[in-house]
Amino acid sequence: MKINMQRADKNYKDLKQKQKSVIADKTYSMYSDFSLLQVTLPEVHHMVSPGKKWG
């Protein structure tokens, strides 16, 4: 039996609350890690593509 799995890109407002919570937790963790290492908050030139670590 072959299962057809397709990825459907969704807007943030269309996500479930649990999915939004996971995104918020990961975002907070990345900002926290960055600010502890760099002693500053990230700005636009610090941003990287999704899925990559801070550079």
Side-chain angles (χ1 to χ4, degrees):
M1 175 188 261
K2 185 177 181 181
I3 299 173
N4 186 11
M5 297 186 69
Q6 295 179 351
R7 179 178 169 199
D9 291 334
K10 298 180 180 179
N11 290 329
Y12 183 79
K13 68 178 183 171
D14 296 331
L15 297 176
K16 296 177 183 175
Q17 185 59 40
K18 187 173 182 180
Q19 293 169 314
K20 291 179 182 179
S21 178
V22 168
I23 292 170
D25 290 343
K26 288 182 180 181
T27 302
Y28 176 80
S29 176
M30 290 178 70
Y31 271 84
S32 179
D33 291 346
F34 183 89
S35 62
L36 289 173
L37 291 172
Q38 303 295 328
V39 193
T40 184
L41 292 177
E43 296 178 10
V44 174
H45 65 275
H46 293 121
M47 300 298 170
V48 295
S49 300
K52 293 185 179 179
K53 297 280 185 179
W54 293 104

